[in-house]
Each structure stands twice: as structure tokens, then as C-alpha cells.
Amino acid sequence: MVTEGKKKAHRAQYQKSKAQDGLAQLPRKRFYRQRAHANPFSDHTLTYPASPDAMDWSTYFPDYVQDSASDDVSPKRLTKDVEVVDIGCGFGGLLMALSPLLPDKLMLGLEIRSQVTAYVQEKIWALRTQNPGGPYQNAACLRANTMKFLPNFFRKGQLSKIFICFPDPHFKARKHKARIISTTLNSEYAYALRPGGIVYTITDVKSLHEWMVEHLDAHPSFERLSKEEEEADECTKVMMTETEEGKKVTRNQGEKFVALFRRLEDPPW
Amino acid sequence: MSVNVQIPYSQVHALGDILLAARSGQLHTYSLTDGKLISTWKHPDVEKVAEAVNRVAEEKEVALATGAGEDAPMADDDKDEPPAKRQKMLSEQESSVSITTDMPPADVVDRESSSNGQKGKGKDKASRSRVRVEGRAKVPDRPLITHLTSTADKKHVIAVTGHDKAVWVFEHDGQGNLEELSSRIMPKRPSSIVVGPDSMIICADKFGDVYSLPLTPDPNWKAPVVAKTVTETPIEANEFTVHSRRNRRALESQQLQAKKKPNNEQDKATDAPAFELTLLLGHVSLLTALLVAEREGRKYIITADRDEHIRISRYIPQAHIIEGYCLGHKDFIGDLVIPEQRNDILISGGGENELFVWDWLAGNLASTASVLNLAQQIDSTITKVAVSGLHSLVYPSESGKLTYVLAICEGIKAIFSWLLTDDNRLNHPGVIQLPGNPLDLEIIPVEGGPPKIVAAMDPGAATPANSINIFTLNMNEERLSVDNITTVEENTVQTSDIEATEDVVRGLLYNVEYLRKKGGGGEDGEGGDAPATEVEASEEAQS
Ligand SMILES: C[S@@+](CC[C@H](N)C(=O)[O-])C[C@H]1O[C@@H](n2cnc3c(N)ncnc32)[C@H](O)[C@@H]1O
């Protein structure tokens, strides 16, 4: 058992070693583990921008900060916007795999657990340092409760892809509002996604898969992709093999259920 | 010790010359021409409370006579938790035996996270309250009418009672007489209600959801027979379809639950209302305000929440489409208003020092105006405000019809007013001092003259003031002031069921400041000070 105290000490140690020269070490997962569930309804001490315009992305994507003239603009602007989001990214396996695959897109993992977020941030930092001029500049992670604060980060139609991989199942009926896919939350995903954008879902829990399909199907802003389209999408495979949960399910020879949904144009009114 | 006071009027609504005024579970109608009482409707629970109050009073006398403890469990005297919470806990406790703690609905979370000194696991807390509730559940929860509104044609009145989550519809004969037509129990406690232009009732709740329900329930309506939906499946997975340890634990807990039948029954009971109810949209936050607005021939639903969001959605039947947000608040939103004559403008206020003025369809902030500065004119020691109500009125002047915005704040004895200018600023701030804390306002238009303001107030125990005050207005250099104050004959109805201790009154009627986040709840999993609402630590991270 790694105690909290030990974890804290190791994380501090890791922070310190970062400051020194030498080869960047990857952070070790076991010092960033955290209780599995965070209540999406409670008031965490979260920091979030009051609105997308107030968000300072410059520390997350330093290579993409607009230079010149913009020194007096606060917050600093990027040359492009985040467009790919991994909701509940956990330890960030998907991000690390997508980063080289979609080199011209900015992607962001959103995770409610602070230590898990810290791990992903450290890992991205280490990978960036180990691969100067290489990939990973386009990937970042921040702590957020996406069920409450997605519109604080992204403007209408800003995103082209939203990944929801192996979300917490919340089995009990009375906890269904805690699920990350629901009729009402789907409206927020539709808001952040541009028409043509894709929601990717995957789970090993069959009934949760059915739930997600049922609720996205029922939402007039979404349309399910066919099996062929699903397979033709290069991200589908990555999602199946590169997420931490996906790997676990493979080890246990479990089944994975995938569903992709396209954001439709809003009807005229 | 605790002195009994009259529960003040807390909701006022006008239908032409008729004033509807609600105090506790009673709804009165008054004539605005002579101030006379016309009719009274009482929530069925009113009698129950009256009986229980009398009984407790008797018991207390006995207790005192026999020298029993001074703080004997006074049934309805709750120091730090409004009845809202106690009642909630009663239903919440049922399924608390499981690996994960039951997630309380948003309103309960809010109470918990803001009631100080209550650290620890949610589960413990639930069981703690249970004991307390059972130890003193002598008086049923006090009925409280929390909302009053009417249809555009003024023929129907809609009231909400908070303690039982009921939406009541009455027919109004135009003379102040109400006939009760229906009552419907909502899934969660309503926090705001409006009647849409199509006479559809739209109701926002403390769990974050917005529903529509027809004004008149269809007696032939039958709950649709739900074909096998995921919700109905008692066990949603089995050992062969769950692979991660965390999911397996959750599943085990669910299987355990399924064996204890009654809990599952309860789950469903809350999910299936026996009348037509359509879920329109939802936030994952307590909703505090709801408006239906129209612009350029299109209708919208505007919702505001405790987490600083103002959302603009299309109206029915496309309420699932979010058109935009007005973002910029940094504390909870308490109320919204679209001023008379200016449907392009939205004013919002809440836990912040300023009111925000929005071009709401574009989502742009046009200006702000300080409420705190005005509050400090009344009392220089005030350091924060909680805006509880926003209203607007039109004042006919030589230079045309001027639009004013009014604000009241919890616990501040005043009405604040501003002139809304053509360039979307709030100018000429004015302060109307009151003899008590304002709880609700209603504007009464007057043919050819300035409108009147009806204020429902809590006079407090010390002042003998009336709970309802009607103000005639004046304007000096575009600043609003009061000309004359009248009232209604409110003392014609004095019954024991509207008597309560000051603490009870506070618990019932002062709930806005509660919305403020306390902060400093600690990061989850960072040692000692885990937030109370975090879920069970035993479910430590997966391997
Ligand atoms: C089972 S894990 C899956 C992690 C990762 N997507 C994978 O496939 O390996 C679900 C993650 O969602 C996170 N999560 C749950 N609710 C969230 C919320 N409201 N906002 C952000 N993250 C959330 C949890 O903390 C957890 O790390």
C-alpha cells in the first residue's frame, strides 16, 4: 500500500527533479492514484474560467501561443483552438496515442480527479521534454467537472471530436443523472460540437452501452454512424486499444462496445 | 427563549385589481381597491401542522411543569437546516447501505456543503439526520407556497408548495375567488415556474431539470408502458461483462441492492410521475431562475444555475437545442429579469456585488451596476449581497416611458432601483428603504400613472409593521422614490398555523445566501480534509 504521505513526497520529489537538468523521467502512476469516484454534483475546489474568452490556454499549449503584438492581450491567444476533447481521460492513454495521429489538432483531456490530472500533465511534460520538436505539444490535460463546466471552456461549435471512453457506469437507477451521457447533457455536447463533429463512446458494460446508444439516438441533434463508418474511422481503433481501461478489458478478454454519433445541423425554426 | 412570530407573506402576485398573497401554506386574495380579504385557500397540510403545533405546545407545558430539559426537542425548531433538508433526508436514507454513498440531489448537496462544520462522509450524515428527524418528527413539515404565477389571460393561477413539491392549478373567476383544479407532485423540488405563451407550465427544479406540463392535466392520460428500457433492468450487467475492479465493485453493490427489494421500488417511484411531464432540458446544478423570452419572433427558454451559468435554449418543441450562454458571473445567480419594453436585454444578479446587463441573444455583457454600493448606503457594514429578486417597471414621464430595474437582496431592508438607458446601462440608482426584509415584489400597472409596488416583507419580531406594503411611486431627476404607503387588511386572518419561531421563519424564507459556495472544501484525495460529498474512499483506485 502506498500511503498518501508517501505519494505526496514522491510527487514533490518528481516536481523537484523536473527543475534540474538531465533526462526527463516519466511520472509513475502509482503515486498519482486516487479514489475511483468523484461526485460530479459536489462543489470541488475547481478552477475554471468564467467563460471561454477568459481561458488562458498559453501554459497548456506553449508552442501554439500567438506571438507579436499580442503581449498586451490577456489572456494570451493561441494560433488555433482546442478541437478534440477526451472527457474523463483518466491516465491519458488515449491522448498520448492521438497526439501523433492528429498532429495538427489541439487536444485536451478533462479529468475530475486532481492527482490523475497531475499525472497526465507530468507525463505530457516529460514526453515533450524527451521529444524536442516532436509530438505531444498538441496535447494537454486539465482538471474539470465536465458535467458542469464544459461551456466554460468551449464555445459553440468549437469541437470536432468528443471522446467518452469507459465512463463510470453508475448502475443504480437513482444515480442515472450522474451518468456522463444523458438526454440533457447530450444537449451540451451538441452545443460544443460543430455540425459533422463526432461523439465517440466505448464501454465494456453492455447495459451502459445500450443506455448511451438509447440516449444519443433519442437526441435529435445526433445520428449514429454505421458499422462501416465506425470501422473506417482511425480513432475507433485507438480508442479500443490505447485507453487504460481498454487495455484492461483486453487483458481480461472482455468485450468492448463502441458507438459513434454524428452531430447534425440544427433544424431551421 | 424563542418567541413565536407570524410567518410573513413571502409571495405576491397581482391579477388586475386582485392581489394574491401567500404566507406559509395559505393563499389569500385581497382587493387592491379597498384592501379587503376576499378568499383563503389552505394547503391540506395546514390543518395537520396546526394540530401538531397545538399538541407540541401542550406537551411542552407538561414538560416544563415536570421540569424536563429546557431544550426539549421542539418539533419544528431547526437551528441550521431548513425543513427542506430534513424532509429530503427522510427519503434519501432508504438506500444508504451500499459501497457507494447515495448521491444526494443537488439541493441537498448544496445545503450540506454550505452548512459549516459538517465534514465527513455523506453516508454518516444521512444516518445522523435520520436519527434527528425521527427524534423530533412531531410536526409535519410546514407547508410553504414558494411560487405564485398566472396564465396570461389571468384565468388560472399556479402555485408551488415547496415542502411537498406540488404544483397547484386554480381557476380564478376574476373576482378573487379561486377554485382548486389540480395538484401534481413533481420529481424534485421546483425552484422556478413560468407559464409559456401556449399556456404550458414550465418548471425548473433544484436538481437542475426543466419540465413542461400542460395547464390542465388530461384525465385520460396513461403512463406509457415502458418497453424494456435500461432503467427497468434490475441488474444492468453481470460478472462476465464487467472487467475493471471499480466497475465490478459497483456492480456487486447493485446486486446487493437488488436483493433488498424495497429500495429498488423506491428508486422507480420517484422516476415515474402519474401525469404528463416532459423533460425539456437540464443543467447539472441547482436551477435558480427560469424565463421564457421572445426575440425577433422566436421564443426561448432562459435558465440560470448556482454554478454561474445562464443558458439560452430554444423554446418547445426544440428545447433540447442550446443557442448560447451568457457567461461571466463568478458567483451564483439568484434571479433574472427581462425588463419591460426591452426584450433584447437580460439583467442577472445573485451572489456578486454587481448586476449584469446582457445582450442575451448574442451572449454579450453590456454593462454592470453595483448593488453593494447601494446596500452600503443603508448599512455601511454590509460586505456582500445576495440578490434574491429582480423586477422591472415602466414609468410614464414627460420624456416618454422609462424602464426601471428593481432588485431586492436577502436580509437588506430596501428596494434598489435603476433607470435602464438606451445604451444598456443602469443609471440613476435609487434606494427605497423598507421597514422589514423584502421577500417578494410585484408591480401593479396603473392606467395613465406610475405603477405601484407591492412588497411582501418580513417585519421581524421587533417591528409591528405589516407584511404587505403597497408603494405609490415618485420620480425625482429620474430617480425612483416612494410617495405613499398603504397595505391590505392582513390581520383578518390570524391562525396558529402561521405562527412559528424566528428560526423556523429564517429556515423557511432565507435560502439565497445558502447558494454561495463556501470554498476551501479541499482537493479530493489529498489527505485529511476530503469534501463531505465525496464518495466512499474504500473504492480506492484501480490496479
Ligand atoms: C473508468 S475511467 C476511464 C478513464 C479513461 N477514459 C480510460 O478509458 O482509460 C472514468 C474517468 O472519468 C472521470 N470522470 C468521472 N466523472 C467526471 C466528470 N464529471 N468530469 C471529468 N471527469 C470525470 C473519472 O475520474 C475517471 O477517471
Side-chain angles (χ1 to χ4, degrees), chain A residues 35-40 86-94 110-113 116 143-148 163-170 178 180 202 239 242-248, chain B residues 244 246-247 542:
Chain A
R35 66 180 64 164
H37 293 285
N39 182 347
D86 184 7
I87 286 180
C89 68
F91 288 95
L94 180 73
L110 295 162
E111 173 52 55
I112 199 167
R113 292 185 290 168
V116 178
R143 182 170 184 229
N145 178 354
T146 61
M147 293 173 67
K148 279 179 185 272
F163 289 88
I164 301 176
C165 302
F166 300 97
D168 297 330
H170 296 289
I180 211 128
I202 183 168
M239 170 172 85
E242 300 299 323
T243 52
E244 273 78 11
E245 291 295 320
K247 286 177 187 161
K248 253 184 262 173
Chain B
S244 66
R246 62 201 315 238
N247 286 359
Q542 68 278 37

